[in-house]
Amino acid sequence: MIFAVAAVIRLFGVDLASRPALRVILSTFFLQGVAFGGIAVLYLKGRDLGFGFVPVRLPDKRDGAVIVGGCIALLGLLFVASSVITALGLNSAQNQIAEVGQQNPSVFLVLIPLQFLLVGPGEELLFRGLVQGTLRENLHPARAIILASALFASIHLFSLSGDGKLVYIGIAFVLALVLGAAYEYTDNLAVPAVIHGTYNAVQFAGAYLTATGGL
């Protein structure tokens, strides 16, 4: 996606090759913001559904506890998965945006707030709010969570590079189960959105410190 956006912008005489931070912002805005948001609006209007189909509200104390537990669960699962991958001698593919960040560490700093503003809300709106919510209408909640998580994980295939794509997708699937369960339990899209954003932000903060010698 990030390279497609750069190609389109170049048609207007703007070369983003030397401006990685701007390239990441535009890519994220157009995908998680415009595209995912547009799909949600069109879907809800197409089915004559109100925005109440995707429940969202300010988190209360109970939601806050789920957010904290969800963040701990995701980071814990990532640690376990990384340890297993290392022990088995496997490789995990890398997200293209992460590659850009490694070449220009300042990009990681730009990515951190975007996880809360666009990525977490946008991806959760589409995959938990719409996909899981629709599946939930005719399936048991557990099946809806599993199917929505499988779709969420498989979509990441298009943004990966290098070997170990199936490993990456497998990890994404397991992590998505936590997000789906959090949404089902709280019936509040803000909960998985904050968990998702926090998880990504922590990863990018760690990547920035690693790339700059802070760790």
Side-chain angles (χ1 to χ4, degrees):
M1 179 64 182
I2 187 172
F3 300 110
V5 171
V8 172
I9 297 297
R10 193 176 298 115
L11 296 176
F12 295 92
V14 179
D15 185 5
L16 296 179
S18 60
R19 306 177 69 180
L22 178 59
R23 191 168 66 193
V24 167
I25 291 173
L26 290 175
S27 176
T28 304
F29 173 77
F30 281 112
L31 180 60
Q32 280 89 349
V34 176
F36 287 5
I39 289 173
V41 171
L42 291 175
Y43 180 81
L44 294 176
K45 286 188 174 182
R47 289 194 58 195
D48 292 324
L49 298 171
F51 289 102
F53 180 77
V54 182
V56 58
R57 62 184 183 277
L58 289 175
D60 55 23
K61 290 183 178 180
R62 174 172 171 271
D63 295 335
V66 175
I67 289 173
V68 172
C71 291
I72 293 174
L74 288 190
L75 294 172
L77 286 171
L78 177 63
F79 175 78
V80 171
S82 299
S83 299
V84 172
I85 290 172
T86 300
L88 296 178
L90 300 175
N91 293 317
S92 179
Q94 192 170 46
N95 191 289
Q96 293 175 1
I97 291 183
E99 290 184 342
V100 174
Q102 289 177 349
Q103 297 171 6
N104 302 272
S106 61
V107 169
F108 288 128
L109 295 180
V110 175
L111 284 168
I112 291 174
L114 291 180
Q115 305 314 301
F116 297 101
L117 296 174
L118 291 172
V119 177
E123 294 190 359
E124 293 309 303
L125 171 62
L126 180 60
F127 293 101
R128 249 57 65 181
L130 298 188
V131 176
Q132 184 172 316
T134 299
L135 292 171
R136 179 71 171 79
E137 293 178 315
N138 299 301
L139 297 176
H140 186 277
R143 293 184 178 181
I145 292 171
I146 291 171
L147 290 176
S149 298
L151 179 60
F152 172 82
S154 63
I155 289 296
H156 284 76
L157 179 64
F158 301 101
S159 64
L160 301 178
S161 61
D163 298 328
K165 293 180 179 179
L166 290 180
V167 173
Y168 186 104
I169 291 174
I171 295 173
F173 171 73
V174 173
L175 299 179
L177 293 176
V178 175
L179 296 171
Y183 180 53
E184 176 66 27
Y185 180 70
T186 62
D187 198 31
N188 182 6
L189 190 71
V191 172
V194 174
I195 296 173
H196 192 156
T198 302
Y199 169 79
N200 286 356
V202 169
Q203 282 196 294
F204 287 129
Y208 174 77
L209 292 175
T210 300
T212 57
L215 287 179

